[in-house]
Amino acid sequence: MSSEAGDIVSRYKEHTAKKVSYILTGILLLFLVVVYSISTGSVDIPPLDVVRTLAGQSISPTWDSIIWNIRLPQVLTAIVAGTGLAISGVVMQSILRNPLGSPFTLGISNAAAFGAAFSIIILGAGSTSSNVGTAVIINNPYVTTISAFVFAMIATAVILMFAKLRGTTPEVMILIGVALGSLFTAGTMFLQYFADDVQLASMVFWTFGDTSRANWEELGLITVIVVIAFVYFTLNRWKYNAIDAGDETAKGLGVNVDRVRLWGMIWASFVTAITVAFLGVIGFIGLICPHMARRLIGDDHRFLITGSVVMGALLLLCADTVARVMIQPYQLPVAVLTAFLGAPTFIYLILKGRRI
Amino acid sequence: MILDVNGVEFDYRSKEVLSNIKFHLQKNEILAILGPNGVGKTTLLKCMNAILKPKSGTIMIEEQDVLKLEQMEIARRLGYVPQQCESARLTAFDAILLGRMPHIKWNISTGDVMLVENVIKRLKLEDLALRYIDELSGGELQKVGIARALAQNPKLLLLDEPTSSLDLRNQLDILDIVRDVVKKEDVSAIMTMHDLNLAFRYADKFLFLKNGTIFAAGSIADVSPQVIEEVYGVPVTIQNYQNVSVVIPV
């Protein structure tokens, strides 16, 4: 009996070791894709030289400039944005007890898009003159970013306010979120109707999420927020597992379910808002990456949060790289590709998977 | 005395649900809370570990008032198994390990893993240990729920209709486990139940609720056909079959 029981523990350890190995494999893969992504583009740089340049050697001033000023920021932005969207998604799915929980289902990105449209039309941040080189200019990108962020947070605040009134239940939050989403979409359409063609172009341009938009400072800001959120979510990993077992069980285990739900929502929305405000709307990553990670390593948040991070970073970076080189010399914004990839992947997951 | 409940009252949206609840429980005893649907059995159970906060009263567990403790501290003393446990893509081992949550600071220790292993052996769940709980049957999931509550190392187990929606085999299995644990270890149990015959077979004490308050309480000797008729509105007879009391509606 005792040998069999010892067996349980060792089998359990093997089981968890497997999850860790999936995550480590993912991280390794991510490094390879980073190097590949930096090496390809309108100018191809040999991967080995990419590694050398990143290690601090200077091989050629041109390549230095391409790598440090253009490709590396974009690659890192893709990784950080993928991370942020994936952790928001995985946490929202848990605290809302709904597989469709994501910042997008809750209308937060619709609100951000409205905020951008609002800044372009009402606050005049949009271009009034376009020149030949670039078709669309947003005159004052910071006004647009701040406006998008503010509206995303307003949407969150409204959801939380109603949740406070009617009880912090997943149903209330999701239904209010869906209602808000269509309200903001209607608002955006209203503004679009009165926009001139240049303003309209600016709005549409803003909506396409694009990782090349962020500079080093903006990347730094997004990174700080995403890292703090990741640490916060990781500290709460046991609580999310407990909530997965049902609100009642979680309460019996000493978890203040309402508080975990409230702060989880606030952080997840905050991360989404800041990502969307700087980069535009990048759909589906927050929804799909957690589900892909779940299929590999299960619902245990001790591993799932990190797993989703790796999956989100990997997927968005791959999509970004493909979008960059697919139709040269044009660089597609990554959001176009994630939407194309997202829908079929999601349907595939539903058809092939167990219950989502 | 492990549990002493005095003057507990609970209101739901200013409607009185429970009033003047008063009882106590000794070590190694099982108490069955009985009564018709909607009388407040589950509410009373949830008041015991302050998932629902009573309006007034005291609930003393080992000389400490539950209502004055932090939620985590309560969870170290009382294990709660709701009627329905949700499943997820977790192994049974992970699900039971969750019961160590009130005791851990940052991460699980070898001690926690050993304790979970012991609970698994104790409940003979070796075959389930590494299976995913979203693939388990209702009875198996219920056993995992009880194992999780035991992993909390509680002084008192609270079980909300532990046998509802289970087949006969599993009903007996679950209650055998509960009785075995209560008799052999330093723990007591409170269960809400619908099946009077199962309650008579396994519980030491009985508490009948009617109109949100205690109608009758005591050991099997205190349970008369009149009490049951008053509480459920069904005339019954109680027969003795091989030292087990059996309720038969007449």
Side-chain angles (χ1 to χ4, degrees):
Chain A
M1 198 67 192
S2 66
S3 69
E4 194 191 315
D7 202 34
I8 295 178
V9 173
S10 59
R11 270 160 63 212
Y12 176 69
K13 283 186 176 150
E14 269 171 42
H15 171 82
T16 48
K18 204 164 73 184
K19 293 181 184 181
V20 174
S21 75
Y22 283 148
I23 293 172
L24 292 177
T25 312
I27 293 174
L28 188 71
L29 214 57
L30 185 61
F31 273 111
L32 296 178
V33 179
V34 165
V35 173
Y36 175 77
S37 178
I38 294 176
S39 76
T40 47
S42 46
V43 179
D44 281 333
I45 305 171
L48 214 59
D49 291 343
V50 170
V51 176
R52 282 199 197 126
T53 308
L54 291 181
Q57 287 184 33
S58 181
I59 291 162
S60 101
T62 329
W63 288 0
D64 276 0
S65 165
I66 292 175
I67 290 174
W68 291 110
N69 297 332
I70 301 170
R71 291 197 190 156
L72 187 62
Q74 184 164 357
V75 162
L76 292 180
T77 305
I79 290 175
V80 172
T83 299
L85 294 170
I87 52 174
S88 307
V90 78
V91 167
M92 282 201 178
Q93 283 162 16
S94 173
I95 56 181
L96 297 175
R97 306 191 42 71
N98 190 310
L100 288 177
S102 88
F104 297 84
T105 333
L106 290 182
I108 292 166
S109 56
N110 304 48
F114 174 80
F118 183 80
S119 80
I120 290 165
I121 310 256
I122 311 286
L123 305 178
S127 172
T128 45
S129 65
S130 65
N131 58 20
V132 189
T134 42
V136 179
I137 301 173
I138 292 181
N139 278 347
N140 196 340
Y142 278 102
V143 174
T144 308
T145 301
I146 291 168
S147 175
F149 179 75
V150 166
F151 275 95
M153 289 316 281
I154 287 175
T156 312
V158 171
I159 294 171
L160 295 177
M161 201 181 70
F162 278 103
K164 205 78 195 162
L165 281 175
R166 293 283 291 119
T168 319
T169 64
E171 293 79 12
V172 169
M173 290 190 181
I174 290 173
L175 293 176
I176 302 283
V178 169
L180 276 183
S182 24
L183 184 68
F184 280 115
T185 309
T188 309
M189 286 165 72
F190 179 80
L191 289 178
Q192 281 175 341
Y193 190 79
F194 293 102
D196 63 40
D197 51 354
V198 180
Q199 287 172 326
L200 200 59
S202 306
M203 277 159 63
V204 173
F205 168 79
W206 186 88
T207 332
F208 297 149
D210 187 355
T211 49
S212 66
R213 238 177 259 175
N215 59 32
W216 278 107
E217 287 79 35
E218 293 162 359
L219 174 60
L221 181 62
I222 304 173
T223 307
V224 169
I225 304 294
V226 168
V227 168
I228 294 174
F230 174 72
V231 171
Y232 173 79
F233 291 149
T234 305
L235 286 173
N236 281 287
R237 64 205 186 286
W238 287 97
K239 294 179 181 167
Y240 302 134
N241 279 353
I243 289 178
D244 272 358
D247 280 15
E248 303 278 281
T249 305
K251 286 175 187 166
L253 288 167
V255 177
N256 187 334
V257 175
D258 286 351
R259 193 189 299 160
V260 172
R261 194 162 270 150
L262 184 74
W263 282 101
M265 273 292 290
I266 291 175
W267 271 107
S269 309
F270 189 55
V271 168
T272 310
I274 201 119
T275 314
V276 172
F278 280 112
L279 307 178
V281 179
I282 300 173
F284 271 109
I285 296 291
L287 185 60
I288 290 177
C289 294
H291 284 301
M292 292 170 98
R294 276 173 211 279
R295 282 180 65 87
L296 282 174
I297 54 185
D299 293 340
D300 187 344
H301 287 83
R302 286 181 295 159
F303 306 99
L304 180 60
I305 293 176
T306 315
S308 299
V309 165
V310 176
M311 198 58 96
L314 200 57
L315 197 74
L316 192 57
L317 180 57
C318 287
D320 193 50
T321 310
V322 174
R324 219 151 42 78
V325 298
M326 197 167 62
I327 318 176
Q328 283 188 1
Y330 299 105
Q331 299 199 354
L332 281 181
V334 67
V336 178
L337 203 65
T338 56
F340 269 122
L341 279 178
T345 315
F346 198 59
I347 292 169
Y348 172 80
L349 283 174
I350 292 167
L351 292 180
K352 283 288 285 181
R354 50 178 185 98
R355 59 164 199 100
I356 288 240
Chain B
M1 201 185 313
I2 188 138
L3 178 74
D4 188 16
V5 177
N6 208 338
V8 165
E9 290 183 26
F10 181 79
D11 288 0
Y12 182 70
R13 287 183 183 163
S14 73
K15 187 175 164 284
E16 192 171 73
V17 180
L18 294 173
S19 64
N20 195 26
I21 301 288
K22 185 176 182 325
F23 65 91
H24 58 86
L25 194 65
Q26 306 289 346
K27 212 180 255 184
N28 307 107
E29 275 185 342
I30 300 178
L31 171 76
I33 300 177
L34 303 160
N37 283 331
V39 75
K41 298 190 293 295
T42 300
T43 306
L44 175 56
L45 200 68
K46 284 185 189 168
C47 284
M48 292 298 106
N49 67 344
I51 288 183
L52 296 174
K53 304 268 183 242
K55 190 177 71 176
S56 59
T58 54
I59 299 165
M60 306 297 287
I61 182 152
E62 292 192 316
E63 319 302 322
Q64 271 184 307
D65 193 347
V66 167
L67 304 177
K68 294 200 175 84
L69 291 174
E70 295 278 320
Q71 254 177 309
M72 275 294 172
E73 291 181 278
I74 298 173
R76 282 180 215 135
R77 294 168 174 81
L78 291 99
Y80 172 66
V81 185
Q83 212 177 117
Q84 204 81 55
C85 293
E86 307 275 337
S87 65
R89 198 74 179 163
L90 284 181
T91 62
F93 196 106
D94 287 317
I96 298 167
L97 194 60
L98 203 51
R100 297 305 299 157
M101 201 182 122
H103 299 273
I104 56 179
K105 282 267 182 295
W106 165 247
N107 216 342
I108 45 165
S109 65
T110 323
D112 294 316
V113 174
M114 301 296 276
L115 197 142
V116 169
E117 184 197 349
N118 282 333
V119 172
I120 289 173
K121 275 160 59 183
R122 183 94 180 69
L123 271 57
K124 301 189 177 63
L125 299 178
E126 288 93 339
D127 293 341
L128 301 185
L130 286 221
R131 282 176 57 198
Y132 285 109
I133 58 170
D134 59 358
E135 292 167 0
L136 300 183
S137 71
E140 291 167 332
L141 198 58
Q142 186 74 345
K143 287 174 195 169
V144 170
I146 292 176
R148 171 163 48 218
L150 286 175
Q152 283 172 253
N153 232 351
K155 295 290 169 204
L156 181 63
L157 272 179
L158 305 171
L159 308 164
D160 195 1
E161 287 178 33
T163 54
S164 66
S165 77
L166 297 186
D167 62 42
L168 186 60
R169 171 80 264 152
N170 275 308
Q171 290 181 358
L172 297 178
D173 273 1
I174 295 277
L175 293 175
D176 280 336
I177 288 171
V178 173
R179 182 164 62 185
D180 192 51
V181 170
V182 168
K183 295 303 166 199
K184 289 186 189 152
E185 275 159 49
D186 205 9
V187 61
S188 310
I190 302 180
M191 316 190 274
T192 64
M193 292 188 85
H194 277 304
D195 190 323
L196 294 172
N197 290 324
L198 277 177
F200 289 168
R201 202 177 159 120
Y202 286 94
D204 306 295
K205 279 183 162 180
F206 307 89
L207 199 152
F208 286 91
L209 292 183
K210 191 188 175 189
N211 299 330
T213 191
I214 295 174
F215 180 78
S219 65
I220 189 75
D222 302 306
V223 181
S224 65
Q226 289 75 33
V227 168
I228 293 175
E229 182 170 352
E230 283 285 340
V231 170
Y232 291 95
V234 177
V236 297
T237 172
I238 298 180
Q239 302 286 324
N240 195 298
Y241 177 76
Q242 295 182 350
N243 284 329
V244 179
S245 295
V246 182
V247 178
I248 302 163
V250 290

